[in-house]
Every structure is written in structure tokens, then in C-alpha cells.
Amino acid sequence: MNNEYIIDLAGVAARKELHERIEAALPVPEWYGRNLDALHDLLTEPCFGNHCLICFINCTEFAQSMPRYFAAMQQMCKAAVDANPGLIVEFAD
């Protein structure tokens, strides 16, 4: 992999905290809107299509505190991967 990003979700229990971790780990542009639509737009940018791995780790607490948002994020990441063949997104505990 040319670009590998680890996003540690340990202790994350709210959307704001999630997007703060994403902003800290990924090269996000000024227009990043701190929501799943903005994350999808970011992940389908060409810079994330050239053999890029994004791994969310320590997901359990966030998945338990915000199960619907976590599931929506997983679905959105799958859609981004489908649209951007060089992108791999993984979720690990």
C-alpha cells in the first residue's frame, strides 16, 4: 500500500469526536463538512484511489454507543470503495 491511515476510535462516543479523529488522521481539505456525505466525497477523491488503506480500529465502543450511525458509516464506506477501486476500508476491534 502506498497510503495507509489508521483511525483509532477508542473512546469515541459521538459524531463530533468521530469526525475529529478522521480529520486528525486523514489529509482532509478545508471543505470537509464533518458528516458522512462529506466523508464519502472525500473518500471518492482521486488521492484516495491509488492503493489506499484506511483502517478504523477499536470500533466496539463507538458501535455500541451509536449503532445506527456506525452502521451508516460502514455502508457509506462500502459505497466509497465500490466507487473508488483503489481504496480499501477496514473495521477492526
Side-chain angles (χ1 to χ4, degrees), residues 9 11-24 32-36 62 66 69:
L9 300 185
V12 172
R15 293 177 190 191
K16 180 182 178 192
E17 295 168 332
L18 168 69
H19 291 286
E20 287 172 352
R21 298 281 176 98
I22 290 168
E23 287 180 310
Y32 182 68
R34 291 184 155 205
N35 59 56
L36 294 181
F62 183 65
M66 299 198 66
Y69 197 77

Side-chain angles (χ1 to χ4, degrees), residues 13-91:
R15 293 177 190 191
K16 180 182 178 192
E17 295 168 332
L18 168 69
H19 291 286
E20 287 172 352
R21 298 281 176 98
I22 290 168
E23 287 180 310
L26 298 178
V28 298
E30 188 175 296
W31 54 259
Y32 182 68
R34 291 184 155 205
N35 59 56
L36 294 181
D37 288 336
L39 182 56
H40 180 272
D41 292 345
L42 176 67
L43 296 181
T44 55
E45 287 287 315
C47 63
F48 287 102
N50 188 15
H51 305 291
C52 181
L53 169 66
I54 298 171
C55 186
F56 291 90
I57 63 170
N58 299 313
C59 299
T60 303
E61 185 177 346
F62 183 65
Q64 290 173 346
S65 65
M66 299 198 66
R68 292 180 67 201
Y69 197 77
F70 182 71
M73 182 175 77
Q74 288 180 305
Q75 288 178 324
M76 180 282 307
C77 287
K78 183 183 180 320
V81 167
D82 289 345
N84 200 349
L87 175 67
I88 298 169
V89 180
E90 297 176 348
F91 294 86

